[in-house]
Amino acid sequence: MLTIWGRRNSTNVQKVMWTVGELGLDHEHRNVGGSFGGTDTAEYRAMNPMGLVPTVRDGDIAIFESNAIVRYLAARYGAGALWPEDPAERARADQWMEWAQTVIGPPITAVFWGIARTPKAKQDMEALKPAIDKLGRLLAIADERLGEAAFLGGERLTFGDVPLGATAYRYFTLPIERPSLPNLERWYEALTGHEAYRTHVMIPFGASLEEWQALEAKLA
Ligand SMILES: N[C@@H](CCC(=O)N[C@@H](CS)C(=O)NCC(=O)O)C(=O)O
């Protein structure tokens, strides 16, 4: 049985849950991390020495680091689909996965925390402006790529779309100024057509306990 640990409003958990949903895998999900706690136990640390989320166990193997988990799931259960068989096609997907994590990760995290995780009275939009502008400039690079192909890896959805895709919901939903990026917008629209994306990524940033319970009940 596949088990996933991690609170659903973490973008790193969302990458994994979206992949699991996209692949239609039977699984058990456990809410840990953040206000749920549960990441400090010896049992959890044995699987994830960082004490962070997500963590996955599949049979004998426990894995941490969301991108490694997404690659594992895609390779094991999505060969020929989410996981391109051709090494060159796979490398292209991998390249965009790394790019999203290392290049887009820092500015989107700063902007997300500065808005969605900061009380309105304490938000400083002026201080966030450089990161918001930087995001627009950097995402123009993905926009250019998406002018050549339907998805980042090529003509179909692959694991390479997952990290930027999970972030795209935040980027397009936060109340920030965005340059016109028609190819990125078209790609994002295509992602929103995927049920697994809507279910696991397009969820409230910070839900109340009641909202969480309703969401869990819907997914049960
Ligand atoms: N590089 C790690 C980062 C993991 C990470 O920072 N997770 C955050 C949530 S996005 C976390 O566990 N925060 C503490 C918590 O939720 O308890 C990955 O991609 O899995």
Side-chain angles (χ1 to χ4, degrees):
M1 172 56 105
L2 178 67
T3 308
I4 300 103
W5 286 261
R7 56 186 170 83
R8 294 186 188 276
N9 63 348
S10 144
T11 185
N12 287 313
V13 173
Q14 289 173 2
K15 290 189 245 172
V16 173
M17 295 307 294
W18 173 23
T19 303
V20 166
E22 204 64 55
L23 293 167
L25 304 177
D26 271 348
H27 66 280
E28 189 181 319
H29 170 258
R30 297 191 193 163
N31 265 319
V32 298
S35 55
F36 293 100
T39 51
D40 267 340
T41 65
E43 195 193 0
Y44 190 82
R45 293 278 171 150
M47 297 188 295
N48 186 333
M50 295 297 290
L52 297 172
V53 294
T55 301
V56 156
R57 178 179 285 290
D58 189 22
D60 288 340
I61 185 169
I63 315 169
F64 64 97
E65 285 298 333
S66 57
N67 284 0
I69 297 170
V70 168
R71 278 190 291 259
Y72 166 77
L73 294 172
R76 175 149 295 239
Y77 301 108
L82 277 190
W83 185 254
E85 305 272 28
D86 172 50
E89 199 188 331
R90 196 160 66 230
R92 205 175 297 116
D94 217 1
Q95 158 195 289
W96 288 107
M97 175 180 244
E98 294 301 320
W99 181 83
Q101 188 79 5
T102 57
V103 176
I104 299 299
I108 190 69
T109 301
V111 173
F112 179 76
W113 276 80
I115 300 175
R117 297 273 188 262
T118 302
K120 195 134 191 88
K122 292 200 172 158
Q123 287 175 15
D124 184 348
M125 293 306 282
E126 217 32 53
L128 292 177
K129 197 171 177 336
I132 294 170
D133 291 348
K134 186 174 181 184
L135 268 177
R137 285 197 305 275
L138 290 169
L139 286 169
I141 294 171
D143 184 71
E144 202 175 320
R145 165 61 182 155
L146 291 165
E148 304 162 352
F151 292 93
L152 290 167
E155 291 310 320
R156 61 191 167 159
L157 183 77
T158 68
F159 71 96
D161 293 289
V162 172
L164 192 65
T167 290
Y169 175 62
R170 295 180 169 191
Y171 182 69
F172 284 114
T173 310
L174 287 168
I176 55 175
E177 262 183 45
R178 287 174 288 272
S180 163
L181 297 168
N183 301 312
L184 190 78
E185 286 158 28
R186 189 247 320 126
W187 167 82
Y188 173 64
E189 275 302 309
L191 298 185
T192 68
H194 286 239
E195 194 185 337
Y197 185 81
R198 289 196 303 277
T199 304
H200 298 293
V201 179
M202 301 179 76
I203 60 176
F205 297 145
S208 67
L209 185 61
E210 291 72 27
E211 282 173 310
W212 275 118
Q213 284 165 344
L215 185 67
E216 291 297 339
K218 197 177 111 199
L219 294 172

